[in-house]
Amino acid sequence: MLILAAATCIYIIVDHKSKTPEKRLTLRPVLVISLAVAALALGWLAAIIHCPPKLTVEQRTERVLQGRVTQLDYTDFSMRLGIDVHDKDLPRCKVLVSTRGCDYTLREGDIVAWKAALSEVGNLGNPYEMDYAAWLRDSHGIRYQQHIPVGQVKKTGYYPTLLTRMTDIRRDLALKVYNSRLTAPAQRLVVALLLGETGTIDKETRQEFSAAGIAHVLALSGLHVGIIALIVWILLFPLDYLRQQKLRLVLTLVSIALFAVFTGLSPSVVRSAVMIGFAFASVMFSRRSVPLNSLCMAALAILVFSPSALYSVGFQLSFITVGAILLAGRIPKAFQSRLKAVNYITATVFTSIVAMLATMALTAHYFHIVSWASVISNLLVMPVLPLFMILGALFLLVTLAGMQWHLLDLGLDTISDYIRWTASTVSACHVSHVKGVYVSAVGTIISMAVLLLLIMWLYRHNLRYLLAAGCAIALLLAHSLWLNVNTSHRGLIVFNSFSSTPVMYYDGGSAWLWTPDDEETDVATASRYYSGFLARHGIGEMTLMGNDTTSLMNGVLFKPPFAYLQGHRLLAVGRGNWKKMTAKGSKMQLDEIIVTKRFHSTVAKLRELYDFNQLIISGAIQPATLESLLHECDSLGINYHALAHDGAIEMSSTRPKKNL
């Protein structure tokens, strides 16, 4: 508060004294610095206010809690409830409750009660994984979670808010769309683009659009808000004949605000709504509009009410993309033409190139993929997207009226098929994208600095910026070389997982994955879960090792339930055949025994049959069974590594390291 007050006072005093343009130009650095300090202090204060509180053990266990459901997501056999806890003995907080089983009568706004045994949200402990705990804490204000049977969640009332009412309306509309005659892909696209419900988009479609460089089409952004604003603006054209242009602006702005609230107030939609609002306000008050100022004001408005949005991938991608387009998105005069169609194509290509370069490092850092063909994809998709949204809006109105128009359905299906065909065709081309790209946080920052320096050089034509950009590029190459030198390209790791115990051996860009739990898995799912690890170690090919096959290659042996990897003799126990394969008369010598979730014996029994150095306990084992195994290991003096507590374990050629 003191920093904010001091910075604000300095800014007011200096601004008051700088009455002439010459004086204001002289004191401009002081104004900028004080304004920046005030903004940082305001963000710091907002972050402190919005930070979820810590609860004592007594506050989060052995008591009945009650709260309002603010978020509800269904999976195949479970639910995820975001609940605002209402308890006079507790500070205001939000918790995540997941259930075994589903109750389809629940909805947002319901008041529910359950017996609390909350635990702090943690990560799996796998290398280069997403910081799930920080994401929940910073983006959703959730610090604690609980997993219980669905029958223990009791509905006690209903108290809706504006946002929950909007969610109910969206879901009712989505249900009507899903019951229509549209094809399934067209239904999902209408629901995603006009209702903001992207949860039904399947993973294969997301991957195709991402590889083609048009993933932004599936998520509401400034592009969709701009199209909505244009549609409303055109529909209100009669007001111009009545000399009510300001009313036309106000009604368009109100429509955009309602659309933002209706779709859930995502950062990208709020950013676009605020920017359009400032542009309209400048027209109404006859002032010059500065898009960069509007963009900064939109960021400030979002961060004051939700400081954690700064850590959101969508927030970062959205603002960096728009900022880059505003700074360097103008068509060079050498490429301009008198023909509007040529200028449209040129503008689309140039804007796509700028957006791709601006977000390339950030996309590679988060998603480990770089799409080179985004320019072509955007050029093919952008012309039909406004038409699809116009037809989609008309389709929703017709559906609400209880009517069906065959031609309207045909148009939406045709455009949807064309967009999906474009995404699948471009993504199927091997040169259109590169997967498995690893860019560290430091590399991302340096890449952004290079882009900013190049933009400054284009604006100022000063060679110092170009020289600084060259130095930054050299630093980026040196950093990449240092990462490559300090990365092991051969090793053995046991990952922590809630469903199985994945064991991965990798060597020279290839990896072999073994899941001794006999759990159904596939290479695509594993590649998605461990994409950061695979990209960091340059692994481009992964083979799934079955539990019923034997494989010997280059001194590596897979003979389930045994394996010889990286100089380690491993045994996975739990499938039932490990006792039958014990050598008679003497104990078998092993380095590690992996206890999977199917293990139903005792550590003492393992000690009778085998001589081993360490026990690795799966993260998929139930908590009660895990505590029993840990207690038995402590009493017998056996070394162990519990994946659920200690995270993944990486083993060298000599001995395993306790933690990564």
Side-chain angles (χ1 to χ4, degrees):
M1 285 293 292
L2 293 176
I3 297 175
L4 177 61
T8 305
C9 290
I10 292 173
Y11 181 86
I12 294 174
I13 293 172
V14 174
D15 182 66
H16 179 71
K17 289 187 175 182
S18 56
K19 296 182 178 180
T20 63
E22 295 80 6
K23 190 71 172 177
R24 191 171 184 83
L25 184 62
T26 304
L27 296 175
R28 186 177 179 182
V30 180
L31 291 171
V32 172
I33 292 174
S34 59
L35 189 62
V37 171
L40 289 174
L42 183 62
W44 190 7
L45 179 63
I48 293 174
I49 294 174
H50 289 83
C51 183
K54 287 191 174 183
L55 304 178
T56 64
V57 177
E58 293 77 13
Q59 288 177 321
R60 52 190 170 93
T61 57
E62 298 301 327
R63 62 188 303 162
V64 176
L65 292 180
Q66 184 171 277
R68 183 176 64 239
V69 178
T70 58
Q71 182 180 353
L72 175 59
D73 297 310
Y74 291 101
T75 60
D76 292 337
F77 305 104
S78 64
M79 295 190 307
R80 288 164 54 89
L81 306 172
I83 301 176
D84 276 337
V85 177
H86 298 156
D87 193 308
K88 61 181 181 180
D89 297 330
L90 297 180
R92 188 71 176 268
C93 61
K94 186 176 180 180
V95 300
L96 175 66
V97 175
S98 57
T99 66
R100 294 190 295 274
C102 297
D103 182 358
Y104 295 103
T105 63
L106 285 178
R107 56 178 175 168
E108 282 91 347
D110 283 342
I111 306 298
V112 296
W114 77 101
K115 187 175 182 181
L118 302 176
S119 59
E120 193 160 355
V121 178
N123 296 316
L124 290 174
N126 294 322
Y128 316 108
E129 69 177 352
M130 172 187 172
D131 193 342
Y132 180 71
W135 176 73
L136 274 181
R137 184 181 64 249
D138 297 332
S139 299
H140 297 274
I142 295 175
R143 189 184 293 273
Y144 297 99
Q145 66 179 356
Q146 185 176 350
H147 185 68
I148 55 178
V150 68
Q152 295 184 13
V153 180
K154 305 296 183 183
K155 179 179 176 180
T156 60
Y158 180 64
Y159 185 77
T161 62
L162 176 61
L163 291 179
T164 56
R165 289 185 186 277
M166 292 296 103
T167 302
D168 290 340
I169 295 174
R170 288 201 308 270
R171 293 196 170 176
D172 290 341
L173 284 175
L175 186 60
K176 291 181 180 297
V177 174
Y178 292 136
N179 290 330
S180 68
R181 294 182 180 180
L182 287 178
T183 60
Q187 291 174 355
R188 290 193 288 265
L189 204 56
V190 168
V191 170
L193 298 188
L194 293 170
L195 303 181
E197 298 286 339
T198 60
T200 57
I201 302 293
D202 56 278
K203 296 176 181 178
E204 291 74 15
T205 301
R206 292 180 185 274
Q207 291 174 356
E208 286 182 352
F209 276 66
S210 178
I214 52 174
H216 58 277
V217 171
L218 297 177
L220 282 177
S221 63
L223 172 68
H224 307 86
V225 176
I227 294 173
I228 294 294
L230 182 61
I231 295 173
V232 176
W233 178 260
I234 293 174
L235 291 176
L236 295 176
F237 78 92
L239 292 177
D240 273 4
Y241 294 100
L242 300 176
R243 297 182 179 180
Q244 297 292 331
Q245 186 180 20
K246 290 186 177 181
L247 179 60
R248 187 183 182 187
L249 291 170
V250 170
L251 291 177
T252 305
L253 188 57
V254 169
S255 301
I256 295 171
L258 291 176
F259 179 75
V261 174
F262 177 68
T263 54
L265 294 174
S266 66
S268 57
V269 175
V270 172
R271 183 259 306 160
S272 305
V274 173
M275 287 189 65
I276 294 175
F278 274 97
F280 282 11
S282 65
V283 175
M284 293 175 62
F285 295 103
S286 301
R287 301 293 297 271
R288 185 171 65 92
S289 175
V290 182
L292 279 177
N293 288 351
S294 301
L295 181 66
C296 294
M297 191 61 197
L300 183 62
I302 293 174
L303 293 177
V304 165
F305 292 99
S306 180
S308 57
L310 181 63
Y311 304 100
S312 168
V313 182
F315 179 90
Q316 296 172 11
L317 288 173
S318 176
F319 278 89
I320 288 174
T321 301
V322 176
I325 292 173
L326 292 177
L327 289 173
R330 293 177 294 183
I331 307 174
K333 292 183 179 180
F335 296 96
Q336 292 182 2
S337 172
R338 295 181 180 179
L339 299 176
K340 291 184 178 180
V342 175
N343 284 335
Y344 171 79
I345 296 174
T346 305
T348 303
V349 171
F350 196 73
T351 302
S352 299
I353 292 174
V354 171
M356 180 186 68
L357 293 176
T359 58
M360 183 182 296
L362 200 63
T363 304
H365 174 68
Y366 284 115
F367 307 112
H368 311 292
I369 187 173
V370 173
S371 176
W372 304 110
S374 59
V375 176
I376 299 175
S377 304
N378 282 284
L379 192 61
L380 294 173
V381 170
M382 288 302 105
V384 302
L385 189 61
L387 179 59
F388 182 86
M389 294 193 67
I390 293 173
L391 295 179
L394 182 59
F395 172 80
L396 290 179
L397 294 176
V398 170
T399 303
L400 283 175
M403 298 184 295
Q404 292 181 349
W405 290 357
H406 176 70
L407 290 178
L408 187 58
D409 296 348
L410 181 62
L412 286 172
D413 288 337
T414 302
I415 298 175
S416 172
D417 291 341
Y418 169 74
I419 294 175
R420 284 182 58 91
W421 173 83
T422 301
S424 60
T425 302
V426 174
S427 63
C429 182
H430 295 294
V431 297
S432 64
H433 61 278
V434 179
K435 292 184 178 181
V437 181
Y438 179 81
V439 178
S440 65
V442 175
T444 304
I445 295 173
I446 298 175
S447 300
M448 295 295 177
V450 170
L451 182 63
L452 183 61
L453 289 169
L454 289 176
I455 292 175
M456 294 297 294
W457 173 68
L458 290 174
Y459 268 94
R460 302 291 181 87
H461 300 287
N462 193 322
L463 289 178
R464 287 183 298 179
Y465 293 111
L466 188 60
L467 180 62
C471 294
I473 292 174
L475 181 62
L476 180 62
L477 293 175
H479 176 70
S480 301
L481 180 62
W482 180 83
L483 285 177
N484 187 61
V485 170
N486 288 273
T487 300
S488 172
H489 296 283
R490 182 172 182 268
L492 174 65
I493 182 171
V494 184
F495 290 107
N496 182 28
S497 172
F498 292 129
S499 59
S500 61
T501 316
V503 181
M504 181 183 291
Y505 171 75
Y506 58 96
D507 185 10
S510 299
W512 293 266
L513 184 67
W514 175 37
T515 52
D517 308 80
D518 202 18
E519 190 76 15
E520 291 185 4
T521 186
D522 57 85
V523 173
T525 303
S527 299
R528 186 170 61 253
Y529 284 160
Y530 310 118
S531 59
F533 183 86
L534 298 177
R536 180 70 172 84
H537 293 272
I539 300 172
E541 180 183 359
M542 184 162 55
T543 304
L544 190 64
M545 306 304 298
N547 286 309
D548 54 354
T549 59
T550 300
S551 179
L552 176 63
M553 48 189 173
N554 299 328
V556 175
L557 172 66
F558 284 98
K559 188 179 180 180
F562 293 94
Y564 181 76
L565 307 170
Q566 190 76 0
H568 288 255
R569 295 164 296 182
L570 304 176
L571 167 64
V573 297
R575 296 182 64 202
N577 59 346
W578 52 274
K579 297 179 182 179
K580 302 176 183 178
M581 302 186 69
T582 305
K584 296 181 179 180
S586 62
K587 292 184 179 181
M588 181 177 291
Q589 299 295 317
L590 298 170
D591 293 301
E592 287 86 26
I593 292 182
I594 301 174
V595 178
T596 70
K597 67 178 182 180
R598 300 180 185 276
F599 181 73
H600 299 292
S601 186
T602 62
V603 179
K605 183 64 176 179
L606 292 175
R607 196 61 178 268
E608 292 177 6
L609 301 175
Y610 304 102
D611 187 6
F612 56 94
N613 298 326
Q614 184 176 222
L615 208 64
I616 300 176
I617 305 176
S618 172
I621 290 180
Q622 294 296 325
T625 306
L626 175 62
E627 293 302 320
S628 176
L629 291 174
L630 296 183
H631 178 73
E632 193 176 1
C633 287
D634 289 333
S635 62
L636 296 175
I638 295 176
N639 295 326
Y640 64 85
H641 182 102
L643 296 174
H645 294 170
D646 303 321
I649 178 171
E650 188 173 10
M651 291 175 276
S652 64
S653 58
T654 53
R655 62 177 183 175
K657 295 182 288 185
K658 180 67 176 175
N659 287 309
L660 284 170

